[in-house]
Amino acid sequence: MTDVPATLVLEARRVLDGRIRRTPTEESPDLSRLAGVPVFLKLENLQLTGSFKIRGAFFVMSRLSPEERRRGIVTCSAGNHGKAVAFVSRELGIPAEIHVPRSVDESKYRGMLDLGARVVRSDCDGFDDTERIARAEAERTGRNFLTAFDDLLVLAANGGTLAAEVVEDCPEARAFLLPVGGAGLAGGFAAYAKAALPGCRIVGCQHALSPALALSLERGEAVLTLPPVATTAGGLEGGIGRTGFEVLRHRIDGVALLTEEEIFEAVRFILDRHQYLIEPSSAVTVAALRTGKAGRLGVPTVAVISGRNVALPTLCRILAA
């Protein structure tokens, strides 16, 4: 069974200490009443660059050799990873070229540009097609390709360090709802949580039109690519990483598939009841609770809120729906 070594998570925590925010975990009275158990929100929407992605970007880029730093890196992102890479590249003085889908959220696109990165918008709407272009460019120029999710270092930092904070700050929790795209967060979180709390429940939350985890579990192998779908939850679109799936496949206890409208309702709910702006990709865990698709939990639960980056026109459309 593929694992995320605890020593790697510990190393990532040491590297990130003082470099990122330790985001709060707070109870949601309304969701607690709805679920019939205490429900807490891990608020990574309050993280630097607006999402959890800075954890993995900083950890991986901090390990580059002087020569690799000089050459620079190439990456592909639906938005949040790219914004994190742009921030870290400015902090560490590493040139970054970030490839993004044509349909990238405009606020994330502007955020990368404002941080000084070179951003290349592809002619493709989907993440998977854009990633192929980015990987080819990295190989052509001899630069490192920095994956957004398909690497144990990324799992340890993005998911493992996040889980460590949740377990420490909310020790009573025994169920965890996680957004799943490429599984860089979910894989690392599940590995750490299951090791620390062997009987805990892990529920992966996905967009119903791009259910890579659910399909992978059915087929017994990682579904690495999927056709692009029209969604405001770009972080959930596309295939799952092979590394993350191999970690998740023996640790996942349930998968919740949410529609675009259910995700919109969750964004509105958090803004109304908690006064936090969250992006559609991160609202999928709240949607799973509100719709009952997370299943009967029966124990204190943490829903991970992974980010806040959403363009104003998109937000206006969500609020008007």
Side-chain angles (χ1 to χ4, degrees), residues 6 42 44 68 153-154 169 172 186 196 222 231 271 276 278 317:
K42 173 60 170 171
E44 277 293 284
E68 289 169 331
L153 295 176
V154 176
D169 294 345
E172 64 269 45
T231 176
L271 190 59
Y276 289 129
I278 66 172
R317 182 155 62 91

Side-chain angles (χ1 to χ4, degrees), residues 21-25 42-48 55 162 165 169:
R21 293 173 182 157
R22 180 165 180 148
T23 55
T25 301
K42 173 60 170 171
L43 297 170
E44 277 293 284
N45 55 305
L46 303 180
Q47 186 55 265
L48 296 176
R55 296 172 181 265
L162 191 64
E165 292 177 11
D169 294 345

Side-chain angles (χ1 to χ4, degrees), residues 114-144:
D114 290 345
L115 287 165
R118 169 172 160 73
V119 186
V120 181
R121 194 194 290 255
S122 82
D123 293 327
C124 311
D125 287 325
F127 177 89
D128 295 335
D129 291 334
T130 304
E131 185 183 50
R132 281 192 284 271
I133 295 169
R135 285 184 179 275
E137 182 63 14
E139 184 174 356
R140 185 186 71 80
T141 58
R143 289 174 288 173
N144 275 32

